[in-house]
Amino acid sequence: MKNKKLQGNVRDAAFSILWAVENKQAYSNLLLHQTIESYGIAAKNRGLLTEITYGTLQHQMTLDYYLEPYLKGKIEPWVKTLLRLSLYQIVYLDRIPAHAVVHEAVEIAKRRGHGGVASVVNGVLRSVQRNGVRSFNTISDPYEKISIETSHPVWMIKRWAEQFGLEKTREMALENNKTPSQTVRVNTARATVEEVIEMLQSEELEAISSKLIPECLIVTNGQPARTATFEKGFITIQDESSMLPAYALQVKPDMTVLDMCAAPGGKTTHIAEKMNNSGTLYALDLHQHKVKLIDETAKRLGHTVIETVVGDGKQSVERFGEEKFDRILVDAPCSGLGVIKRKPDIKYTKKEEDFARLQEIQIELLDQAARLLKPDGILVYSTCTVDAVENRGTAERFLKEHPEMEKIQAALPAAMGIKHTGFVQVFPQDYGSDGFFIAAFKKTEKTATA
């Protein structure tokens, strides 16, 4: 394939992102910004670039199923990527005329390949236009049918079906292909929710209050991260679900608190706001460059209570000593299956064997946290995944290995309507937010040797 890019061209830009994701295991969310800059994509076309890039990734397996009957003989991998991208627009986007999509695809094929490739692309897309795409009803296996319909690997569908049932699995997989809401958290240390709604309106952004979390706003247009309201530290970009751990921690001013896996700092800064910027809040993370992000966010928001530390959470007792903290958050490394809506590439890069390894890391972090916690202190374990092994499995194993810890009710916002005690699994389809898990524990006087 010739690397002749079409400067300023949305579809060629989308193609280059998709090709890098497939070939270099690059992350689409990181590439998107770089590609907008390198291609010089006009502001009015950025939404379309995002939509067709993410849409093609989200529906990749479905698109391959639709294409299969039309592909004769061997086809170069890059041509398949171009066909997927074009078919996504024809099948899923009403506002773009099919002839315009075909024309663009042929131009890209000519520029990056040769006349022969261009005629194959033209022939396939025109055949699809004429004959349409095949139904999923010919697939008899229920797991495979959901897998192809929702573009999730079969192993993932089977795993979820075993854990949560087939109906819930299909609902979740369909939800994962929707466009995520843009949510921001109001910095309540600086302004009220009403004041921030007005600030955003003055910058021509519409924001409505979340039904679940008082300080959360859903922004329905524009880019909140490019506003003066953001720059001046009145808001932070954060998903609704990831605002829950700061509630579950039940922090108060003047406490000593540890956020053990803190980067990039969304939860840390939320905890600082709940502490009314008074007390000591350590934000620990393994990587210097990630800790720098926490410092930058804290500075932008005006939080002085946060002390960042570069270090391994698995060695934090060595660093801090035993029974030093009133509250600890372990927002552990996880498979990330709750954020597929935002990062569709996760579906295709995760492997089933990752889960056992992740649980070992999670348990090591929780073991350290149990020793760091003062008697009567609260420990919150959270993940952005929907896997029962990492979530309930890890939490139950931790309880079994630590008789001094007891499960308590996670103190979540009343509007969520969660009445029962114990572990809380939020599914993407529950509130339209990320999939998330929260477990809260209290340290009693009983010791592990008792």
Side-chain angles (χ1 to χ4, degrees):
M1 178 184 69
K2 299 172 201 161
N3 195 16
K4 287 187 176 175
K5 66 183 192 184
L6 288 157
Q7 202 65 17
N9 184 295
V10 173
R11 287 165 186 86
D12 195 58
F15 168 79
S16 71
I17 295 171
L18 293 165
W19 184 239
V21 168
E22 200 156 323
N23 270 285
K24 300 172 188 164
Q25 275 70 57
Y27 292 112
S28 54
N29 56 331
L30 302 177
L31 276 172
L32 193 64
H33 182 67
Q34 295 164 12
T35 307
I36 285 169
E37 299 297 316
S38 69
Y39 266 81
I41 300 295
K44 67 176 195 291
N45 291 330
R46 286 172 190 171
L48 178 62
L49 173 61
T50 305
E51 187 174 11
I52 62 179
T53 303
Y54 278 103
T56 305
L57 270 174
Q58 279 170 331
H59 298 281
Q60 184 171 305
M61 291 168 66
T62 315
L63 292 166
D64 285 354
Y65 173 77
Y66 289 156
L67 279 169
E68 195 185 11
Y70 295 102
L71 301 180
K72 309 282 179 270
K74 203 163 162 39
I75 190 162
E76 287 185 68
W78 73 267
V79 179
K80 193 167 188 183
T81 302
L82 178 58
L83 286 169
R84 267 183 205 144
L85 167 72
S86 308
L87 187 59
Y88 169 73
Q89 297 166 78
I90 291 169
V91 174
Y92 293 95
L93 299 185
D94 303 339
R95 64 183 187 280
I96 300 171
H99 65 85
V101 174
V102 176
H103 173 74
E104 287 265 6
V106 169
E107 288 306 306
I108 293 168
K110 277 184 199 164
R111 199 172 177 93
R112 291 185 177 265
H114 50 77
V117 174
S119 70
V120 167
V121 167
N122 186 47
V124 169
L125 294 176
R126 292 209 180 280
S127 296
V128 175
Q129 250 186 294
R130 261 196 319 275
N131 306 320
V133 292
R134 57 181 172 164
S135 153
F136 304 120
N137 293 336
T138 55
I139 307 169
S140 56
D141 181 276
Y143 303 113
E144 196 190 336
K145 190 174 182 179
I146 294 173
S147 166
I148 296 297
E149 178 195 9
T150 67
S151 200
H152 285 65
V154 166
W155 71 261
M156 204 177 272
I157 296 298
K158 279 185 175 163
R159 190 179 175 96
W160 286 344
E162 280 163 21
Q163 294 176 356
F164 313 118
L166 212 54
E167 194 180 331
K168 198 156 202 166
T169 295
R170 184 172 178 271
E171 276 174 23
M172 175 157 57
L174 286 168
E175 180 69 31
N176 284 342
N177 291 337
K178 292 182 182 171
T179 305
S181 301
Q182 286 199 98
T183 50
V184 300
R185 191 187 78 237
V186 172
N187 180 0
T188 50
R190 301 275 296 273
T192 65
V193 170
E194 290 72 24
E195 285 166 343
V196 169
I197 289 174
E198 282 180 24
M199 285 177 204
L200 288 167
Q201 278 174 346
S202 74
E203 298 191 67
E204 296 179 355
L205 270 74
E206 291 301 317
I208 54 171
S209 288
S210 151
K211 292 185 174 72
L212 300 179
I213 295 172
E215 61 271 39
C216 176
L217 295 177
I218 297 156
V219 181
T220 54
N221 68 326
Q223 293 175 286
R226 290 176 175 254
T227 60
T229 309
F230 177 85
E231 273 170 44
K232 291 176 182 169
F234 292 104
I235 56 170
T236 287
I237 312 295
Q238 192 180 11
D239 183 72
E240 229 166 343
S241 292
S242 73
M243 297 182 203
L244 300 174
Y247 277 86
L249 269 179
Q250 302 181 53
V251 291
K252 295 185 177 67
D254 304 320
M255 281 186 167
T256 305
V257 181
L258 172 64
D259 185 351
M260 199 185 267
C261 311
K267 297 175 191 72
T268 315
T269 51
H270 195 194
I271 294 164
E273 285 151 31
K274 296 276 181 213
M275 291 170 74
N276 209 6
N277 205 25
S278 168
T280 310
L281 171 53
Y282 289 97
L284 178 70
D285 206 88
L286 197 51
H287 304 288
Q288 175 73 58
H289 68 282
K290 289 187 174 178
V291 165
K292 200 166 154 252
L293 293 174
I294 306 171
D295 284 325
E296 286 165 7
T297 302
K299 190 178 173 190
R300 182 176 61 79
L301 297 171
H303 299 331
T304 52
V305 72
I306 298 166
E307 201 170 310
T308 52
V309 185
V310 179
D312 187 348
K314 299 197 290 290
Q315 290 150 14
S316 43
V317 173
E318 266 174 58
R319 180 180 289 272
F320 297 109
E322 307 227 354
E323 301 197 337
K324 288 286 192 286
F325 295 97
D326 300 296
R327 301 284 187 270
I328 299 175
L329 172 61
V330 178
D331 184 57
C334 70
S335 58
L337 299 182
V339 297
I340 288 173
K341 208 188 273 188
R342 290 173 200 286
K343 299 177 182 175
D345 346 16
I346 288 174
K347 293 192 285 194
Y348 316 115
T349 54
K350 286 291 170 214
K351 295 182 172 50
E352 199 159 9
E353 51 269 28
D354 295 341
F355 294 97
R357 184 182 51 80
L358 283 164
Q359 192 186 61
E360 291 312 313
I361 296 167
Q362 291 154 1
I363 287 290
E364 276 185 77
L365 292 167
L366 287 168
D367 286 346
Q368 291 279 307
R371 290 170 63 193
L372 290 164
L373 196 64
K374 292 177 185 176
D376 281 335
I378 291 175
L379 161 62
V380 169
Y381 169 64
S382 64
T383 72
C384 59
T385 196
V386 289
D387 192 76
V389 171
E390 293 176 87
N391 292 342
R392 182 173 285 276
T394 297
E396 283 174 350
R397 182 176 152 189
F398 171 67
L399 273 176
K400 207 153 108 189
E401 292 172 9
H402 289 272
E404 80 281 17
M405 302 299 294
E406 66 177 14
K407 178 169 71 167
I408 60 167
Q409 183 163 359
L412 300 177
M416 292 186 73
I418 294 172
K419 303 277 189 287
H420 61 84
T421 56
F423 309 143
V424 177
Q425 176 68 68
V426 174
F427 291 97
Q429 67 268 33
D430 291 347
Y431 307 104
S433 59
D434 289 346
F436 216 83
F437 177 80
I438 291 160
F441 309 97
K442 192 168 198 170
K443 191 173 194 174
T444 64
E445 294 300 332
K446 288 181 292 189
T447 61
T449 53

